[in-house]
Amino acid sequence: MSYNPTAPDTTADRTTGEPATLPTDRRTGCPFDPPAGLTAPDDRPLRRMRYADGHIGWLATSHAAARAVLSDPRFSARYELLHLPVPMPGMEGMTQVPPASPGDFLGLDAPEHTRFRRLLTGKFTVRRMRQLAERVEGFTHECLDAMEQAGPVVDLVEAFARPVPALMICELLGVPYADRDRFQGHVATVFDQTSDAEARGAAFAAVGQFIGELVAAKRAEPTDDLLSDLTTSDLTEEELIGVGGVLLAAGLDTTANMLGLGTFALLSNPGQLDALRADPGLAEQTVEELLRYLSVADPIARAALEDVEIEGQLVRAGETVTVSVQAANRDPLKFPEPDRLDIHRRATGHLSFGHGPHQCLGQQLARVEMTVAFPALFARFPTLRLAVPPQEVPLRDRANIYGVISLPVTWDKE
Amino acid sequence: MSDPNERLRLGVDRDRCVGAGMCALTAPEVFDQDDDEGLVVLLHPEPAPGHRAAARMAAGLCPARAIILHSPDPTDP
Ligand code: SF4
């Protein structure tokens, strides 16, 4: 199929003159499913979409279109070229996105992006991350011990889902043990949707200052960790602090939400959970399937640098394409019966870590953390269950990273 | 489908590699990553028959198209 510019445009949205906005409401329906309308039966892998500032761009929902956009260098990740799919919470009036601040390589293209990426990839290899499995195990059991003492009835997010990745990222970045509580406290506030904007702003500033001090300390006295290594690179002080912040944000909120929402999903699918309990060898597969099924980090936006044809549709230079990871991961052409959580399926090829040059740098760490953490949790608490009705679990439906705000759980004491 | 007797030759383009590690995860017998930059290292340019399927899959999964298959076969991840 090829695009014919002289043919009448038959996209329904255009004929009505009202392109839809990005569907974001998950409140009706299953908490693990994408918002209604996002994956509606639709033979157009790319459809017109209205952005927060009125821009008419595109929404990519098929697996093939998503992969094509994310791996094509004619699409840019530079923030200042993008239009926001939905208004930023708390910044509704913002129409233009500022360029990436120093060190925020997520908003850069090659070759600037490559420069940062090359400094970091060696620290996140499959082999290195597997070597960390033992540390993850140690932290996981510490958290489970504390949870056992505190309960039954604990908030699993606070007791388990947040601290496990937080301790690991502290370990990687080289946050001294004595500072970890202070650091974790600030970080928890930054990501806490229930605290007010002012408190979150103050916590955000505190995290920035914390990383600044940490960088200075590593420069004065390098230890065996990632930040110390980076102080010997050609990064400026500002860039170094920026990179630290990116790694922290990316390594924390994502995995924490996968652990929280993933536990909720497994508890809601007892058959699947039983299968995992019976065969812990399914852990890696379960993690891939949960990544696909939950797609917590979504969406991803790119801007066309020139006219590009994607799946037979012409995207014009300057137009933003929003790639819906959730929709792509529920594409029935790629994953049969996509709305079923099935830990026996081969979910490899999901786009939850993105695709293309920006594909998640920390994905192997995330995999190791989850592969260790989920089985350990269910082994320690064989009777783990929700302490509230499922519909009362508060969802992060306005956050960039989807998940649960808290997950009250209980179990039978021996 | 691929002919099992057909030889599979692989190449890698380290300039394109973004070090995401999908290859080393999917076909650890065939690919590794170097410790310095985390970029792909090709251990076996002509993988043994038992490792060919995984190698093809790794090529399909690579986010940067840094793995080159010299026998044109399906690479759908
Ligand atoms: S999967 Fe591709 S990008 Fe990732 S390490 Fe292997 S060759 Fe490099």
Side-chain angles (χ1 to χ4, degrees):
Chain A
M1 199 171 80
S2 74
Y3 179 81
N4 178 357
T6 56
D9 191 333
T10 51
T11 31
D13 309 339
R14 262 196 191 164
T15 47
T16 61
E18 256 316 306
T21 54
L22 181 69
T24 54
D25 190 2
R26 295 198 190 226
R27 254 157 299 189
T28 55
C30 166
F32 312 118
D33 283 349
L38 192 66
T39 57
D42 198 326
D43 54 1
R44 292 163 305 159
L46 231 59
R47 47 181 133 138
R48 278 291 184 186
M49 188 179 106
R50 178 183 296 276
Y51 285 69
D53 60 2
H55 172 73
I56 306 295
W58 299 92
L59 173 65
T61 53
S62 80
H63 189 267
R67 261 176 69 107
V69 169
L70 293 175
S71 61
D72 192 323
R74 293 172 296 176
F75 283 99
S76 171
R78 283 163 59 198
Y79 298 149
E80 71 273 26
L81 302 179
L82 301 174
H83 296 267
L84 291 174
V86 287
M88 290 245 265
M91 296 192 212
E92 277 71 16
M94 190 163 102
T95 53
Q96 272 209 313
V97 192
S101 51
D104 183 358
F105 55 94
L106 305 186
L108 301 176
D109 294 336
E112 291 80 13
H113 169 253
T114 322
R115 172 179 163 242
F116 287 96
R117 185 97 190 182
R118 287 278 152 102
L119 281 175
L120 295 167
T121 41
K123 325 275 189 225
F124 288 94
T125 59
V126 172
R127 196 169 345 115
R128 280 198 193 210
M129 292 306 118
R130 290 216 165 126
Q131 286 163 357
L132 282 177
E134 223 170 285
R135 301 292 296 154
V136 180
E137 248 162 64
F139 289 140
T140 304
H141 289 293
E142 277 172 34
C143 292
L144 293 175
D145 290 344
M147 183 168 147
E148 204 167 0
Q149 295 227 315
V153 185
V154 299
D155 171 11
L156 186 104
V157 171
E158 208 184 300
F160 181 74
R162 206 182 300 115
V164 171
L167 288 167
M168 276 318 289
I169 203 81
C170 283
E171 174 92 1
L172 273 179
L173 289 182
V175 176
Y177 221 83
D179 292 338
R180 288 186 181 182
D181 282 346
R182 179 161 67 102
F183 177 73
Q184 273 207 62
H186 294 321
V187 168
T189 312
V190 170
F191 292 124
D192 180 7
Q193 281 206 311
T194 56
S195 60
D196 61 56
E198 208 171 308
R200 288 168 68 180
F204 187 77
V207 171
Q209 199 191 340
F210 187 95
I211 297 177
E213 285 167 17
L214 193 60
V215 165
K218 299 294 171 191
R219 211 182 270 292
E221 213 179 307
T223 38
D224 183 20
D225 51 61
L226 208 157
L227 271 191
S228 298
D229 286 359
L230 287 180
T231 56
T232 61
S233 72
D234 64 350
L235 296 183
T236 66
E237 202 70 10
E238 264 188 312
E239 286 173 336
L240 196 51
I241 295 169
V243 168
V246 169
L247 294 181
L248 185 79
L252 252 178
D253 210 22
T254 46
T255 312
N257 281 294
M258 274 303 300
L259 288 175
L261 191 65
T263 302
F264 185 19
L266 287 170
L267 292 176
S268 308
N269 287 270
Q272 300 291 312
L273 181 52
D274 287 347
L276 172 64
R277 277 204 178 105
D279 180 5
L282 286 171
E284 284 185 28
Q285 235 174 287
T286 303
V287 166
E288 290 308 307
E289 171 66 349
L290 285 171
L291 283 162
R292 177 197 76 83
Y293 183 68
L294 300 173
S295 309
V296 298
D298 188 56
I300 310 175
R302 294 285 185 266
L305 295 170
E306 50 188 272
D307 292 0
V308 187
E309 195 181 300
I310 294 291
E311 299 283 295
Q313 186 63 258
L314 183 75
V315 175
R316 294 205 181 272
E319 290 182 329
T320 294
V321 181
T322 292
V323 171
S324 171
V325 174
Q326 302 174 62
N329 281 343
R330 301 276 183 122
D331 181 346
L333 289 178
K334 175 68 190 167
F335 303 104
E337 286 193 72
D339 296 333
R340 217 157 55 87
L341 175 73
D342 175 8
I343 66 169
H344 291 98
R345 82 164 81 223
R346 213 183 56 176
T348 327
H350 65 73
L351 300 178
S352 297
F353 290 120
H355 190 67
H358 285 269
Q359 195 186 54
C360 178
L361 180 68
Q363 58 181 291
Q364 309 305 347
L365 174 62
R367 284 193 170 95
V368 167
E369 289 178 343
M370 287 188 270
T371 309
V372 169
F374 280 122
L377 172 70
F378 294 114
R380 177 72 70 96
F381 301 103
T383 55
L384 193 78
R385 58 188 179 271
L386 293 181
V388 297
Q391 60 279 11
E392 280 173 28
V393 172
L395 301 168
R396 292 168 44 115
D397 43 17
R398 282 171 307 128
N400 289 338
I401 314 277
Y402 185 57
V404 292
I405 293 173
S406 63
L407 191 71
V409 292
T410 188
W411 60 88
D412 300 332
K413 263 207 149 138
E414 305 268 299
Chain B
M1 269 336 280
S2 54
D3 171 2
N5 297 319
E6 194 191 344
R7 299 245 299 264
L8 171 68
R9 269 194 313 116
L10 297 168
V12 291
D13 183 345
R14 286 175 49 98
D15 285 337
R16 299 188 71 146
C17 172
V18 298
M22 285 314 292
C23 54
L25 187 74
T26 315
E29 295 84 3
V30 184
F31 304 100
D32 197 358
Q33 293 167 279
D34 72 68
D35 270 331
D36 247 16
E37 292 184 308
L39 301 184
V40 59
V41 174
L42 183 56
L43 302 174
H44 296 291
E46 293 194 14
H51 298 152
R52 282 179 197 159
R56 284 206 174 89
M57 186 158 159
L61 285 171
C62 171
R65 291 196 208 132
I67 299 169
I68 304 127
L69 292 181
H70 291 301
S71 70
D73 264 324
T75 59
D76 186 28

